[in-house]
Amino acid sequence: NVTLLALDAAGGDTVWSFEVATGPIGQPALSSPGLCVVGNVTVYWIDTKKALAAARSNPPQPVQPVWSTNAVNPAGALWSAVLIESNLLTVILMVSSNPVQYTVITLAAQDGSMVSNGIFAVQLAEQVTPVIGKAPWLGNRQTLSLINSGAGIWAFPSPFLADSHYN
C-alpha cells in the first residue's frame, strides 16, 4: 500500500491522507470536483471537498473514495496519465512495453461507469512517457485527445470511441 498525502500549502502539514491499495503509476489528476488516482489495477475518484470535511471532523475520519474501479485486466499497468474534462476522466494506461501498447478508457466522474474504451498501439524504438492533452478538431468540431509520445503527436477522438483500435 502507498499513502497519498494532501498537504497544507502554507505550513506543509498533512491535511488528509488516502491509502492506495496498489501503488500509483502516474501523477494524480486534480480538477475542481475531485482527484483521480490510478494504481496499476484500480482507478480511484476522491471528492476533495468531502475529504477536507472528513479530515476536519472531530475525530478526523479516514478519506474514502467516491468510487473505485478495476481498469486493467489483466493487472499490471506500467504507467498512466489522466485528463479530466466535462465530468469525464480519460485514462491512458501503458499495458505493455514490448510492443508498446496502451489501453485508453473514459470513465464518468460521478460514478466511475465506463463510457468508452479501446486499444492504442504505438510502434516506437524505445519506451517513452506520453503527455496527454486536448484540442478541438476544427474540421468536424470533435474534441481530440492528444498524446505527445516523443516520436510524434498521436490524436484520437475523445471520449474514445467504444472498442476502438488505433495503430
Side-chain angles (χ1 to χ4, degrees):
N1 289 3
V2 174
T3 302
L4 175 71
L5 300 174
L7 303 176
D8 179 83
D13 296 328
T14 300
V15 177
W16 56 263
S17 63
F18 174 69
E19 288 287 322
V20 181
T22 60
I25 57 170
Q27 293 180 329
L30 179 66
S31 77
S32 59
L35 178 72
C36 181
V37 180
V38 180
N40 69 350
V41 176
T42 307
V43 177
Y44 302 92
W45 182 252
I46 298 169
D47 182 314
T48 51
K49 289 181 183 177
K50 288 182 181 176
L52 282 173
R56 291 180 177 151
S57 64
N58 192 4
Q61 300 298 308
V63 172
Q64 298 296 323
V66 175
W67 55 260
S68 63
T69 185
N70 290 341
V72 182
N73 188 11
L78 307 170
W79 171 92
S80 70
V82 178
L83 181 67
I84 304 171
E85 184 181 40
S86 302
N87 293 318
L88 293 175
L89 310 174
T90 299
V91 182
I92 298 177
L93 300 151
M94 178 186 279
V95 293
S96 172
S97 61
N98 189 14
V100 176
Q101 185 170 316
Y102 301 92
T103 295
V104 182
I105 60 173
T106 303
L107 303 170
Q110 65 269 20
D111 61 7
S113 60
M114 184 79 67
V115 175
S116 64
N117 67 356
I119 301 295
F120 183 78
V122 184
Q123 303 302 320
L124 298 175
E126 60 185 61
Q127 180 178 328
V128 297
T129 303
V131 176
I132 185 171
K134 280 189 129 24
W137 181 255
L138 299 178
N140 62 8
R141 303 218 183 272
Q142 179 169 359
T143 300
L144 298 177
S145 290
L146 305 173
I147 299 177
N148 180 349
S149 67
I153 304 291
W154 299 79
F156 50 88
S158 184
F160 209 71
L161 300 176
D163 302 316
S164 299
H165 293 266
Y166 292 83
N167 294 314

